[in-house]
Amino acid sequence: MVKTRFAPSPTGFLHIGGARTALFSWLHARRHGGQFVLRIEDTDLERSTPEAVNAILEGMSWLGLDYDEGPFYQTQRFDRYREVIQQLLAEDKAYYCYCTKEELDALRAEQMAQKIKPRYDGRYREYKGAPREGVEPVIRFKNPLDGITVIDDLIHGPITFQNSELDDLIIARADGTPTYNFCVVVDDMDMGITHVIRGDDHINNTPRQVNILEALGAPVPKYAHVAMILGDDGQKLSKRHGAVSVLQYRDDGFLPEAVLNYLVRLGWSHGDQEVFSLDEMIRLFDIHDVNKSASAFNTGKLLWLNQQYMMEMPPEHLARHLSPHLGALGIDPSDGPDPVDVVREMACRAQTLKELAEQSAFFYVDPQSYDEKSAKQHLKPEAATPLAAARERFAALPDWQPEAIHAAVAEVAEALQLKMGKVAQPLRVAVVGRAASPGIDVTLQLVGRVAVLRRIDRALALLAG
RNA sequence: GCUCCCAUCGUCUAGUGGCCUAGGACACAGCCCUCUCAAGGCUGGUACAGGGGUUCGAAUCCCCUUGGGAGCGCCA
């Protein structure tokens, strides 16, 4: 059975690159009816934080990437790592190395100076002497000295490494704690991981891990190394790019399904299709179809996708998603039109929930000021007549429905020999505060007659000076 | 420096030797629709990094160059 894992280290939030790796792993498992496990790689006690763990868990749950096992924490598996290390030691597949950090640094500096690849020279590999005084030894893995290790990468195809290029890596520190490359191997083995999908910055670690796996007599999983994601500017993703945490996207008003859809298309495609439901992704996703090259994150396209999702989503759902963003603006929708009706009209006019809330605020609160340009253009002295005429008709309308409102506006235009725009635009600015909104009839209907009359009066007062 | 990876429009990508005078999407421009802004529809411009091969034929296969990136930790 297929079993994949996502194994972030909790030294920061779940960023967009990690989220895509998680998505690919999740998709691969789901697609094959397998299992997906979450493992927190927190062996770096210095840099791991509980806040980061929470951020990762929260990010996963917001995206809806559920796991069948875990979260496992490597810090809770130290006994198991120690056990495997002892086994390796007993089988002469690992050994104590008494080099000090200073000696290692010196060796590295020397090699760099000679312009050769810095690496451990194996000086304690066959050491049979007594433990060196005053040095807490580390434990190193005995990497094969010759031969080749081939990774048959699902994305890249075969990648060949000379074992002679690999040195004897440290699997346990002087304080006895195990290191990353070793823990990964033990965990992948114990957890029965069949497919390792991860960033391509791990390609160079893979032959070492394969060699350890083989020393342990464990089956070697299939590997798939996914290229990294670049920032909008094509540069490596960094703090400078702003919203790098997936939770930031949530707060900025993106829908998780839009983010997922955007992410899956970064490096993967299915012909010309751009929009995929979750079910389609699961059905269509194939790790073999993933691109080898890095791709740049394009916020513009995410924005477009997010809007597509907002427009397609049932208004009832959209309204629910909108409510926290309305709340953030201090708006209580119960004071005005049903958000479901608002959202039906506004979804095609905003790209994020946050923007949707901002654009929709006028339905609930009178504009605090008029957009300068719009007011200058439409709230001119000559607008007073149509505004007043419209106000009069509105006040007398027997029923406050779009059809009636539209007819009233048209009548005013005709009576005054004006084009529709000369009536609708001043009305719009007076009621909305700016020159952009849904059709004037629905807009006014939703705002409500009382508020509309009040806002017109205010504009009229302003025009009267 | 050494090892490994990568290379089609500005961006995401289609393309696995002929269907490619290179297709789609985002963005951009124009037009249509129109009471505004959107949405939607239509139209347009822009790409196979360079050089060698292989082949009747190369975006597709091979080599080199160039340019990016990663790794070379008692970090993950």
Side-chain angles (χ1 to χ4, degrees):
Chain A
M1 183 190 55
V2 166
K3 199 165 175 187
T4 63
R5 43 67 155 194
F6 176 55
S9 61
T11 53
F13 36 61
L14 176 62
H15 57 85
I16 219 69
R20 186 186 59 162
T21 305
L23 172 62
F24 283 5
S25 300
W26 183 87
L27 246 19
H28 189 258
R30 294 288 171 264
R31 149 89 195 256
H32 292 98
Q35 296 201 316
F36 175 61
V37 345
L38 178 64
R39 184 170 79 217
I40 306 295
E41 310 220 321
D42 55 354
T43 53
D44 184 350
L45 280 5
E46 305 279 302
R47 299 196 300 153
S48 300
T49 67
E51 292 74 34
V53 171
N54 287 336
I56 290 167
L57 262 24
E58 205 181 337
M60 293 290 285
S61 105
W62 179 65
L63 288 172
L65 301 179
D66 56 326
Y67 29 91
D68 305 292
E69 287 180 20
F72 294 112
Y73 294 87
Q74 292 188 321
T75 44
Q76 289 172 10
R77 292 176 40 82
F78 277 14
D79 289 346
R80 172 59 180 153
Y81 304 137
R82 260 188 271 276
E83 182 185 358
V84 181
I85 286 172
Q86 286 312 314
Q87 179 193 334
L88 250 19
L89 243 17
E91 294 171 357
D92 194 31
K93 289 170 178 167
Y95 60 94
Y96 288 102
C97 168
Y98 295 93
C99 280
T100 62
K101 275 183 184 167
E102 292 69 33
E103 287 167 341
L104 255 19
D105 288 344
L107 177 64
R108 210 167 1 247
E110 165 77 5
Q111 289 164 326
M112 296 282 251
Q114 285 180 36
K115 298 196 183 302
I116 57 173
K117 186 174 181 171
R119 50 211 292 243
Y120 175 64
D121 61 5
R123 62 179 71 168
Y124 282 96
R125 185 172 167 114
E126 303 303 337
Y127 184 71
K128 297 283 186 273
R132 193 167 148 193
E133 282 296 316
V135 178
E136 281 301 326
V138 298
I139 298 169
R140 288 183 185 270
F141 171 69
K142 266 193 182 176
N143 198 75
L145 296 172
D146 47 32
I148 57 169
T149 297
V150 179
I151 310 165
D152 197 11
D153 194 279
L154 263 20
I155 293 171
H156 295 266
I159 305 175
T160 305
F161 293 86
Q162 297 294 326
N163 283 332
S164 56
E165 285 294 332
L166 279 19
D167 59 3
D168 291 346
L169 75 158
I170 292 172
I171 56 177
R173 304 181 179 95
D175 66 4
T177 56
T179 59
Y180 166 75
N181 275 109
F182 180 72
C183 299
V184 167
V185 163
V186 175
D187 288 345
D188 285 343
M189 170 176 78
D190 287 354
M191 295 170 192
I193 302 302
T194 60
H195 298 257
V196 173
I197 298 172
R198 61 187 359 173
D200 68 0
D201 49 332
H202 288 284
I203 288 182
N204 289 298
N205 286 327
T206 311
R208 301 170 186 283
Q209 294 175 5
V210 168
N211 283 333
I212 299 177
L213 243 11
E214 282 175 347
L216 256 18
V220 178
K222 298 269 186 215
Y223 291 94
H225 288 98
V226 182
M228 63 185 299
I229 296 178
L230 275 16
D232 266 315
D233 52 4
Q235 297 298 114
K236 192 179 170 183
L237 218 43
S238 72
K239 320 289 167 292
R240 287 200 319 280
H241 293 88
V244 278
S245 161
V246 299
L247 295 177
Q248 186 63 49
Y249 288 93
R250 174 196 62 189
D251 299 344
D252 285 348
F254 288 92
L255 261 6
E257 41 275 69
V259 172
L260 251 20
N261 194 148
Y262 178 73
L263 252 21
V264 82
R265 282 285 290 106
L266 225 46
W268 176 81
S269 60
H270 180 72
D272 287 338
Q273 191 170 345
E274 294 289 348
V275 182
F276 297 86
S277 68
L278 217 48
D279 283 346
E280 282 179 306
M281 281 187 215
I282 293 171
R283 189 153 41 81
L284 267 17
F285 183 79
D286 189 333
I287 193 70
H288 298 275
D289 295 335
V290 172
N291 261 197
K292 292 187 274 206
S293 49
S295 38
F297 191 87
N298 185 206
T299 306
K301 190 156 181 181
L302 204 215
L303 249 9
W304 171 78
L305 254 179
N306 200 58
Q307 180 172 40
Q308 295 299 309
Y309 273 87
M310 293 202 299
M311 290 190 298
E312 290 308 313
M313 177 177 282
E316 292 73 19
H317 291 196
L318 221 207
R320 253 199 303 283
H321 281 286
L322 181 66
S323 116
H325 290 89
L326 242 21
L329 294 176
I331 292 169
D332 177 359
S334 64
D335 296 342
D338 185 342
V340 174
D341 296 324
V342 168
V343 138
R344 225 189 300 272
E345 294 298 327
M346 296 299 293
C348 64
R349 282 164 241 267
Q351 297 192 293
T352 65
L353 296 165
K354 195 176 172 189
E355 194 190 338
L356 183 58
E358 289 161 0
Q359 302 289 327
S360 304
F362 77 87
F363 285 109
Y364 302 97
V365 293
D366 289 0
Q368 295 307 295
S369 62
Y370 300 112
D371 171 68
E372 206 178 311
K373 220 180 122 195
S374 309
K376 201 172 167 192
Q377 201 175 352
H378 304 292
L379 247 35
K380 291 182 290 199
E382 57 262 42
T385 311
L387 236 27
R391 192 214 185 278
E392 199 178 322
R393 283 180 191 261
F394 289 160
L397 279 183
D399 80 321
W400 192 247
Q401 289 306 315
E403 303 73 34
I405 297 170
H406 188 270
V409 174
E411 284 162 24
V412 169
E414 198 175 341
L416 297 175
Q417 300 260 300
L418 291 171
K419 284 188 172 179
M420 269 293 271
K422 289 290 178 194
V423 182
Q425 283 303 78
L427 273 172
R428 187 166 349 245
V429 178
V431 173
V432 178
R434 67 189 120 88
S437 85
I440 195 67
D441 44 5
V442 263
T443 298
L444 300 188
Q445 189 251 328
L446 288 173
V447 168
R449 171 146 48 187
V450 175
V452 165
L453 298 183
R454 181 174 66 233
R455 295 180 194 185
I456 293 176
D457 286 340
R458 203 182 125 200
L460 246 16
L462 188 96
L463 284 177

